[in-house]
Amino acid sequence: MDILVLNNASAATTAMIPNSHKGAVQRYHQKYDQDLASGKYLPFAYPLATFGAAIGLLFFLLVPPTSSLHSPFTRYLTFAVIASWHTYLTIYCQGLNPSTGFGVGGIATFGTVWAATLLVFNDAKRDFKRLHRRPRCISAKGDETSKPAINSLINASMHLVEQHSDDSGYAGSQYDYYWQSYPPLLEDRLWWVLDLWSNFRLIGWDHGLDTMPTIPASVQKQLNASSKRDDNIIDRPVTTTGLRRFESRDHLVQHFLWTFIKGYIMLDILCTLVRHDPYFRGDLDAVPTGLPQFMLDWPGLWILGYRLFVGMAFVWLGLRNVLVLAPLLIPTVIDSKLLGTWSEPWLYPDHYGSYTVVFDKGLAGWWGGWWHQSFRCGFLAASDWILSICNIPEHTVSARSISVLTAFFISGLIHAAGSLTLVGETQPWAPTAFFMIQPVGIIAEISWRRLLARYGLRHRIPAWLGYLANFVWVHLWFWYTAPMFVDDMAKGGLWLGQMLPMSPARALGLGEKGDSLWCWEGPWAEWHKGNPWWTSGLAF
């Protein structure tokens, strides 16, 4: 295998960079095997990797809040055990392929945040309620199904109702909706806990985000009636940031299927471009190869812009295509009788907002409106907890500043942990710095708008000019800050991962020599025989 020798100014040693994408992948796996053989790292293996939030948090949530095993002490102790275990995974485990490698640290760190959200920042079993439904032909008082006989009758009648439900998937006239507290029956409790454990946006929960589309007005009326409350009913099917809810299963499938197809095609193009650029296999100063001549003739600044665009678009499309799988498959593939409430299409809103919010709100619109809000509940729970500890009133400048700083600090930790568990030579401080500097840009644009308003200039600027200024500002900001993140991911080998099973672009001959339609080459999982024995498992 031909090797290029490159001096890396950011490292004390000379980096050996393969001159082909396949060579870089091969070197990645060789280093992974060497690290495992030397005992430096353990593989990310099941069941070892599940002993934190996947098992510890899940089992503790199944303990009723009325039990003597549920107390502030046991909640905090469970969190401490989960946090310790996830820290251990982040420091000592790595993944078999680049995508898994980043996920080891990233998922472990957010798992810690989510455990804190449910156990420390809140007492979720006592305080949280989820949206639930029962067939309207059954009348039950309170917010809980209380007797096994009634449950059996409800399940039987639900089967009959499902057989006559319309194809739209909206069954608002056939069910009664109510807020379900922690259920006393184990069967009901298991579904309640699984929903809470895996529903990071808390959609359909009373502690969910108020930035999401609302549930239908008819359902809100029933919830008010069942809980004897008189809350204002606000029907918001589309938010100001462009997130939408879906009233029918057909509309949901059409939207997410088309989103997935578009994303797959664009990801295929990006994956093919990445294979031709040494930058994405860790050679940050190399000139792209294998691209059209007009691109090779671009000035250095344009090459930088091209690489930042490809890297950021890769992250955006990769995340989006993963996130759409749940709303695309769960309510359409799984039997609606099994899903119950979660067969309702309006419980699956968009993940990404409209990009027009960036033209209107600038950098704050990028992060707070357009970008996905999958982790926002955890961020807000942490900041609210800090505000309560410090006795800072909500809706003040100090409160908003702490909320923004907390969100970006946690984001930085998540991505730094992902950087740490990549096999390549990374600098985890770089993604942390990227996220921690974002509030500076947001504060700068807010200050600029206030300055214009003070002198009466803000309303004199034409709307089109304001949109253009926001667009230019946001992308100029990322021009100078995004390399901290993208460069680190390139050195770590993130771009070497192949997300797609098949590539039409490679089948058309646009990839490297020897590429074919099928992309998933090499092992995705293998059995690891560890020493001690409890480290053995299926390594991904």
Side-chain angles (χ1 to χ4, degrees):
M1 177 173 58
D2 295 332
I3 298 291
L4 297 177
V5 180
L6 175 72
N7 285 329
N8 190 338
S10 62
T13 59
T14 300
M16 305 297 290
I17 309 295
N19 64 353
S20 70
H21 191 87
K22 291 181 178 179
V25 173
Q26 180 182 351
R27 178 174 176 270
Y28 185 98
H29 288 302
Q30 289 175 348
K31 187 175 185 304
Y32 172 84
D33 292 336
Q34 291 170 1
D35 288 343
L36 262 59
S38 67
K40 183 179 179 181
Y41 294 109
L42 292 171
F44 184 68
Y46 286 88
L48 178 69
T50 63
F51 291 158
I55 291 182
L57 179 59
L58 189 60
F59 271 83
F60 182 80
L61 290 175
L62 287 172
V63 176
T66 55
S67 169
S68 59
L69 297 177
H70 179 91
S71 67
F73 173 76
T74 56
R75 282 166 42 214
Y76 300 152
L77 178 61
T78 302
F79 168 73
V81 171
I82 292 171
S84 300
W85 182 251
H86 286 176
T87 302
Y88 174 83
L89 291 178
T90 302
I91 296 174
Y92 294 108
C93 287
Q94 289 188 333
L96 181 59
N97 68 71
S99 299
T100 306
F102 183 85
V104 171
I107 295 174
T109 303
F110 180 72
T112 302
V113 174
W114 194 239
T117 299
L118 303 182
L119 301 179
V120 178
F121 306 147
N122 300 281
D123 186 353
K125 288 189 284 186
R126 292 186 184 275
D127 301 334
F128 285 25
K129 297 180 181 180
R130 75 161 182 160
L131 178 65
H132 200 44
R133 75 182 190 186
R134 56 191 162 222
R136 180 159 292 180
C137 56
I138 298 296
S139 176
K141 294 182 179 181
D143 68 351
E144 191 59 65
T145 54
S146 56
K147 297 181 179 180
I150 293 180
N151 281 339
S152 300
L153 185 56
I154 288 176
N155 291 333
S157 60
M158 183 178 292
H159 177 70
L160 296 175
V161 173
E162 290 287 354
Q163 290 179 333
H164 296 87
S165 61
D166 60 346
D167 294 335
S168 68
Y170 179 69
S173 61
Q174 300 169 341
Y175 294 95
D176 285 324
Y177 295 87
Y178 64 98
W179 289 117
Q180 183 188 39
S181 300
Y182 192 87
L185 297 178
L186 181 60
E187 180 182 0
D188 298 331
R189 188 190 316 162
L190 181 60
W191 288 108
W192 194 94
V193 167
L194 283 174
D195 190 359
L196 176 65
W197 175 73
S198 60
N199 188 351
F200 301 140
R201 293 193 293 175
L202 290 178
I203 297 172
W205 288 79
D206 62 345
H207 282 62
L209 298 172
D210 57 10
T211 55
M212 290 286 109
T214 63
I215 57 180
S218 60
V219 178
Q220 294 183 56
K221 292 178 182 178
Q222 291 189 40
L223 293 176
N224 283 350
S226 66
S227 57
K228 297 181 180 180
R229 296 168 60 180
D230 191 24
D231 295 340
N232 292 330
I233 295 176
I234 301 175
D235 192 16
R236 188 176 63 240
V238 181
T239 67
T240 56
T241 61
L243 296 174
R244 77 186 77 174
R245 75 168 188 239
F246 302 93
E247 307 295 343
S248 73
R249 190 174 293 111
D250 288 344
H251 290 161
L252 179 142
V253 172
Q254 290 171 8
H255 172 78
F256 285 114
L257 182 59
W258 178 232
T259 299
F260 181 82
I261 292 173
K262 288 187 299 182
Y264 194 102
I265 294 172
M266 289 187 284
L267 264 177
D268 186 29
I269 295 172
L270 292 177
C271 288
T272 304
L273 290 174
V274 161
R275 299 177 75 81
H276 293 293
D277 192 344
Y279 169 85
F280 292 102
R281 49 183 180 264
D283 192 346
L284 304 186
D285 300 319
V287 177
T289 59
L291 297 175
Q293 187 60 43
F294 76 91
M295 295 179 67
L296 298 178
D297 294 336
W298 284 351
L301 288 178
W302 286 105
I303 294 296
L304 171 63
Y306 158 76
R307 286 169 168 170
L308 291 178
F309 171 79
V310 171
M312 298 291 279
F314 196 106
V315 172
W316 164 54
L317 290 168
L319 277 173
R320 193 178 69 163
N321 262 32
V322 169
L323 292 173
V324 303
L325 290 177
L328 185 59
L329 297 177
I330 291 176
T332 56
V333 174
I334 302 178
D335 189 2
S336 60
K337 293 187 289 295
L338 179 64
L339 282 176
T341 310
W342 277 98
S343 63
E344 300 287 12
W346 37 265
L347 288 174
Y348 298 89
D350 276 325
H351 289 86
Y352 283 87
S354 170
Y355 199 79
T356 56
V357 73
V358 178
F359 290 92
D360 189 42
K361 302 288 187 180
L363 192 62
W366 173 290
W367 290 116
W370 175 66
W371 198 250
H372 75 95
Q373 306 297 306
S374 301
F375 304 147
R376 191 167 184 172
C377 283
F379 298 163
L380 289 178
S383 62
D384 289 346
W385 183 75
I386 294 172
L387 295 178
S388 65
I389 292 296
C390 300
N391 199 26
I392 299 176
E394 296 181 358
H395 309 300
T396 62
V397 174
S398 297
R400 287 195 293 268
S401 299
I402 289 175
S403 297
V404 171
L405 290 172
T406 301
F408 281 108
F409 176 71
I410 297 176
S411 293
L413 289 182
I414 291 172
H415 291 82
S419 169
L420 185 64
T421 52
L422 285 169
V423 174
E425 299 296 331
T426 60
Q427 297 173 315
W429 63 264
T432 305
F434 168 71
F435 282 97
M436 285 303 298
I437 204 174
Q438 299 308 310
V440 176
I442 294 174
I443 293 172
E445 68 182 10
I446 292 175
S447 302
W448 175 249
R449 291 194 185 101
R450 288 181 176 177
L451 184 64
L452 292 176
R454 177 181 299 178
Y455 290 99
L457 300 176
R458 186 172 180 180
H459 297 293
R460 297 182 182 181
I461 298 176
W464 67 268
L465 184 59
Y467 296 151
L468 179 62
N470 282 333
F471 179 83
V472 172
W473 153 249
V474 168
H475 292 82
L476 188 64
W477 172 261
F478 284 127
W479 182 283
Y480 287 103
T481 62
M484 287 186 285
F485 176 76
V486 180
D487 287 357
D488 192 64
M489 296 299 103
K491 289 186 290 186
L494 179 67
W495 317 115
L496 300 178
Q498 180 54 256
M499 297 186 63
L500 309 179
M502 293 184 290
S503 169
R506 288 173 53 169
L508 293 172
L510 301 178
E512 287 186 316
K513 184 178 180 180
D515 282 346
S516 61
L517 175 66
W518 185 251
C519 301
W520 286 353
E521 301 171 352
W524 274 80
E526 61 185 20
W527 182 258
H528 171 72
K529 187 176 182 180
N531 186 19
W533 65 266
W534 51 268
T535 62
S536 300
L538 191 62
F540 286 88

